[in-house]
Amino acid sequence: MNGEAVVPEPAAAASSPAQASPSPPEWRFSQVFGERSAGEEVQDVDIISAIEFNKSGQHLATGDRGGRVVLFERTDAKDNACRKEAEKVDYSVSRHPEFRYKTEFQSHEPEFDYLKSLEIEEKINKIKWCQTANGALFLLSTNDKTIKFWKVQEKKVKKVSEMNLSPSNASANGRPAGSNASGSSAYLPNGGISKPVGFNSLRLPVVVTSQETSLAASCRRVFTHAHDYHINSISNNSDGETFISADDLRINLWNLEISNQSFNIIDVKPTNMEDLTEVITSAEFHPTHCNTLAYSSSKGSIRLVDLRQSALCDTHSQLFEQHEAPGSRSFFTEIIASISDIKFSKDGRHILSRDYMTLKLWDINMNSGPVATFQVHEYLRPKLCDLYENDSIFDKFECCQSGDGLRVATGSYSNIFRVFGCGTGSNEATTLEATRNPTRRQLQNPTRPARSLSTLTRVVRRGAESTGIEANGNSYDLSTKLLHLAWHPSENLIACAAANSLYMYYA
C-alpha cells in the first residue's frame, strides 16, 4: 500500500507545524484486545465504533455497535514518578506501553421513537473524556439521538461480617435457646412492652467495609430531545463546563450540569429543504480557546466560529476550503470532497481534516489553502464508480495527529492505516496493517524505495466487487475498513479498531 505519494502544498514550508524533519519511527505491535481466530464470525454488535484516549493518556475508551463502553487503563511503568526518575539518570524506559481491561458498561439501549416511527440503534457514535474529579472518571457517550454523562468510580465492597444470631445460642428446632414456648413479651404497667422473655442479647447484622474494591459506572445525566437528525459529533470545551453536539443541520451548546436545556448556536437548515446544499459533518472545540470552534461540511469546507460574535453563530469568522482546478469536476467531485472528520492540533494552531481520498492540514492563520495534502489511497480513484455503487464511497474515516504535531494518521481499506510526517521537508509515508505484524505489506516489496512513491504505476483490477489490486501489487478488500483510530496525547502510540479487535502500536 505504499503506492500513494505525500503531496505537500507550496505553502508548507512557511507554516509547517515543525521546524525539522525527524527520521521515520519504527512502528511495532504492542497488544491486541478481542483478536479474532481464523474463520471466526464477527457479530455486528461487537464491532468497535468509537475510540478515545483521555487527556493524560492513562485511560482509553472504546464504544461498539451494541451500545457498550469498554475502558482500559495503562499498567506499564511510565507513570509520572518514573518519568522524573528517568530524566534524572538520563534513561528512557524501554518497555512498550501496556494497557489492561478495566471495566465495561452498557451505555445505550435500542429505542423506538413512536412519534416519528423511527428505530434508534444503540451504536456508540462518539466518546469524549471529561475532567476527572476525586479519583473518578467522567465521560460523555452518544448514539444517534441521546448523549449520556457517565461517572466511573472505584467503590469499596461492603460485607456482612456477623449474623444476628450465634449458632451456639440456637436450639435444634431453630428457636433461640432460652426463649419461652409462646414467644410472649412481658407487658409493663404503663402499656409498654419489654424485651421478649429469653432474649438476653439480640445481635443485628454487622456490615464492614473490606479492602476489596469494585468499579461502578453510574449515569449522572441524560441529554436528549435536542436533535432531529443523527448526532455525528460531540466535543468538550476547554472551560470544563460546556460541550457541543452536532447533527447534520444544527450544533447545540450544553452545560454539563443542566440536561433539560441547550442553546442552538449554529443552524444551517434552510427555510425550504429543497434549497439544502450542504450539511454539517463534524465539529470540535478549540483545545485552549473556549470561545472558538470549528465545523466541517459535506462540500469540503471548514468554518471557524467565534462564540463572542453573536448568540447565533451562523456567520463564520474564517472559512477554509480548497478550490478545485478548472475542468477537473466530475460526478464524484463533491462526494469525495465531503469531510468526514476534523481534529485540532494539540496547540490549536492547525486543523487536520479527512475527506474520502486525502488528509489535509490547515493553518488557522492562513485560509488560502491547506499547508499540506496527503494522498491516502489514490489507487482507488479509477474505481470511484464501483465504490459509489456499493456505497463504500460514503465511508467515514477518522483522522488523528500526534501530540508533538509531527505526524498525522488515518485509516483505509484492508484494515490498513497510513502515518504521514508533516514536518518541514518530511517525505515520511508509512503503511501499517492492523495485525500482529503491522509492516508485512511493506516487506512484500522490499526493493521499492520510499522515495519513489510518486513514480509508481497505479494498477487497478476491474470487475471486482470488494477486492482489487493496489499500486504495490497487494490486494485490497473494501469489506475490511479501518475507520476509527486515536493517537496517544503525548507518545507515539496509536490505537485502532479492526472490526471487533482493538490493536495498539508504538514507536
Side-chain angles (χ1 to χ4, degrees):
M1 287 282 178
N2 287 331
E4 305 81 57
V6 181
V7 185
E9 296 296 319
S15 19
S16 172
Q19 298 301 318
S21 177
S23 59
E26 181 184 352
W27 290 94
R28 299 181 180 91
F29 169 79
S30 177
Q31 59 190 137
V32 58
F33 295 94
E35 186 177 24
R36 284 179 292 164
S37 57
E40 180 185 355
E41 281 194 20
V42 178
Q43 299 296 321
D44 185 71
V45 293
D46 294 330
I47 295 177
I48 296 173
S49 57
I51 302 179
E52 189 79 9
F53 280 103
N54 73 338
K55 194 173 182 180
S56 68
Q58 297 301 307
H59 291 90
L60 175 69
T62 66
D64 62 26
R65 293 186 183 179
R68 293 164 298 202
V69 172
V70 183
L71 303 185
F72 302 89
E73 66 177 350
R74 192 159 182 176
T75 60
D76 58 291
K78 287 196 172 185
D79 58 331
N80 292 332
C82 289
R83 283 200 191 99
K84 291 179 180 178
E85 291 298 323
E87 289 171 1
K88 288 180 182 178
V89 297
D90 193 21
Y91 169 77
S92 60
V93 181
S94 59
R95 289 184 58 192
H96 71 81
E98 194 170 325
F99 283 75
R100 70 178 179 188
Y101 169 86
K102 186 177 179 74
T103 187
E104 68 179 90
F105 55 90
Q106 188 71 33
S107 174
H108 288 72
E109 300 280 358
E111 301 175 41
F112 189 81
D113 188 334
Y114 293 97
L115 293 177
K116 298 181 179 179
S117 296
L118 181 70
E119 287 186 3
I120 304 172
E121 61 179 352
E122 64 271 33
K123 185 189 83 167
I124 304 296
N125 291 341
K126 295 289 179 182
I127 296 174
K128 292 293 179 183
W129 289 91
C130 303
Q131 294 180 356
T132 59
N134 299 324
L137 302 173
F138 294 89
L139 51 87
L140 290 165
S141 62
T142 183
N143 64 355
D144 287 339
K145 297 290 184 180
T146 304
I147 306 163
K148 294 186 178 181
F149 183 48
W150 290 93
K151 177 183 181 181
V152 181
Q153 189 176 29
E154 281 191 352
K155 293 186 176 180
K156 290 190 175 180
V157 178
K158 293 184 178 181
K159 293 183 177 180
V160 176
S161 65
E162 296 181 18
M163 298 303 293
N164 59 336
L165 293 176
S166 173
S168 61
N169 292 333
S171 60
N173 62 1
R175 185 179 294 114
S179 63
N180 61 353
S182 62
S184 60
S185 303
Y187 291 89
L188 301 177
N190 61 359
I193 302 177
S194 68
K195 292 181 180 180
V197 177
F199 283 95
N200 297 324
S201 63
L202 180 63
R203 290 188 295 174
L204 299 174
V206 179
V207 179
V208 296
T209 302
S210 69
Q211 296 301 315
E212 296 179 25
T213 59
S214 66
L215 282 163
S218 57
C219 183
R220 304 303 300 270
R221 287 172 197 87
V222 178
F223 308 88
T224 188
H225 305 307
H227 289 279
D228 292 330
Y229 303 92
H230 290 176
I231 298 172
N232 56 48
S233 303
I234 53 175
S235 179
N236 292 321
N237 197 343
S238 58
D239 63 9
E241 298 178 357
T242 57
F243 70 94
I244 55 171
S245 58
D247 64 21
D248 290 345
L249 298 179
R250 292 187 177 94
I251 298 179
N252 294 330
L253 179 67
W254 301 84
N255 189 299
L256 284 168
E257 301 293 329
I258 304 170
S259 59
N260 59 0
Q261 69 174 359
S262 64
F263 298 95
N264 177 228
I265 55 176
I266 295 172
D267 189 348
V268 300
K269 183 178 181 180
T271 306
N272 184 359
M273 284 296 285
E274 292 181 358
D275 298 330
L276 183 67
T277 58
E278 63 181 332
V279 295
I280 298 169
T281 57
S282 182
E284 184 167 86
F285 262 120
H286 190 282
T288 55
H289 299 165
C290 61
N291 57 282
T292 304
L293 65 91
Y295 69 93
S296 59
S297 80
S298 57
K299 277 193 170 181
S301 61
I302 302 172
R303 291 172 173 85
L304 206 62
V305 172
D306 191 336
L307 298 178
R308 297 171 298 185
Q309 288 183 343
S310 63
L312 189 61
C313 305
D314 288 341
T315 56
H316 51 267
S317 58
Q318 287 223 63
L319 175 65
F320 305 94
E321 59 184 353
Q322 187 173 31
H323 300 284
E324 61 193 50
S328 62
R329 187 171 181 83
S330 69
F331 173 78
F332 304 108
T333 300
E334 192 167 309
I335 298 176
I336 63 175
S338 177
I339 295 175
S340 56
D341 189 27
I342 60 171
K343 293 287 195 317
F344 273 101
S345 60
K346 192 173 182 180
D347 60 3
R349 173 70 187 271
H350 295 84
I351 297 175
L352 181 66
S353 68
R354 170 69 201 265
D355 56 44
Y356 187 69
M357 298 296 292
T358 66
L359 262 180
K360 292 184 175 71
L361 190 66
W362 308 79
D363 189 324
I364 64 171
N365 296 326
M366 188 180 73
N367 56 11
S368 58
V371 297
T373 300
F374 309 99
Q375 308 293 346
V376 179
H377 39 217
E378 189 65 20
Y379 59 87
L380 289 177
R381 195 172 291 275
K383 297 275 290 181
L384 289 179
C385 186
D386 295 336
L387 295 167
Y388 177 77
E389 289 179 0
N390 62 24
D391 287 341
S392 293
I393 201 170
F394 301 107
D395 288 335
K396 299 183 184 304
F397 293 93
E398 294 180 0
C399 59
C400 58
Q401 187 170 16
S402 61
D404 56 15
L406 296 178
R407 294 175 182 86
V408 295
T410 191
S412 181
Y413 295 103
S414 302
N415 281 341
I416 70 160
F417 62 100
R418 310 292 312 278
V419 180
F420 300 100
C422 51
T424 303
S426 174
N427 291 323
E428 180 185 340
T430 307
T431 300
L432 301 166
E433 185 179 7
T435 62
R436 288 181 176 269
N437 181 14
T439 58
R440 67 177 185 175
R441 284 180 174 264
Q442 297 173 343
L443 297 176
Q444 290 176 6
N445 299 276
T447 60
R448 304 192 181 197
R451 292 183 180 178
S452 63
L453 292 176
S454 60
T455 63
L456 292 174
T457 304
R458 298 184 178 94
V459 181
V460 178
R461 185 180 67 195
R462 296 192 175 277
E465 283 294 321
S466 61
T467 59
I469 305 298
E470 47 92 350
N472 276 354
N474 295 321
S475 63
Y476 62 85
D477 183 3
L478 300 178
S479 64
T480 55
K481 57 195 81 170
L482 200 150
L483 302 176
H484 311 286
L485 75 173
W487 202 305
H488 190 280
S490 58
E491 299 176 28
N492 280 336
L493 171 64
I494 295 177
C496 56
N500 66 323
S501 303
L502 175 67
Y503 287 89
M504 294 189 189
Y505 304 93
Y506 73 103

